[in-house]
Amino acid sequence: MTKITYITSDNKLHEIDVQNGLTVMEGAVQNDIPGIDADCGGGMACATCHVYVQDKWFNELPKKEDGEEDMLDMAFEPKQNSRLSCQLVVSDELDGLTVNIPSKQG
Ligand code: FES
């Protein structure tokens, strides 16, 4: 289990223990975190799992694939630290990862 903190658009912190091997998106969906709809089920085809990764963590994550970059271009207010949470696989190395959920998704 790895602790992931989701901050929803109303600034509420949700600290969740997510099983390693799941994605950050799956951890949110399984725990009813509002704002991560994941309409495509993790297929990198919807951008409704878009999150902002806190700076401290951004460079620790595996690099984006081209498909993720393309999909983020269509996300709500993408920023430098945007990622698709369905592409982030939870592991011990990500313990403490904190992500913000964009307001449009909240
Ligand atoms: S769940 Fe659709 S792109 Fe991540």
Side-chain angles (χ1 to χ4, degrees), residues 37-52:
D37 290 345
D39 289 338
C40 77
M44 215 159 52
C46 73
T48 61
C49 66
H50 171 212
V51 294
Y52 303 122

Side-chain angles (χ1 to χ4, degrees), residues 25-36:
M25 173 277 277
E26 288 168 326
V29 169
Q30 287 183 3
N31 290 282
D32 296 323
I33 305 298
I36 303 274

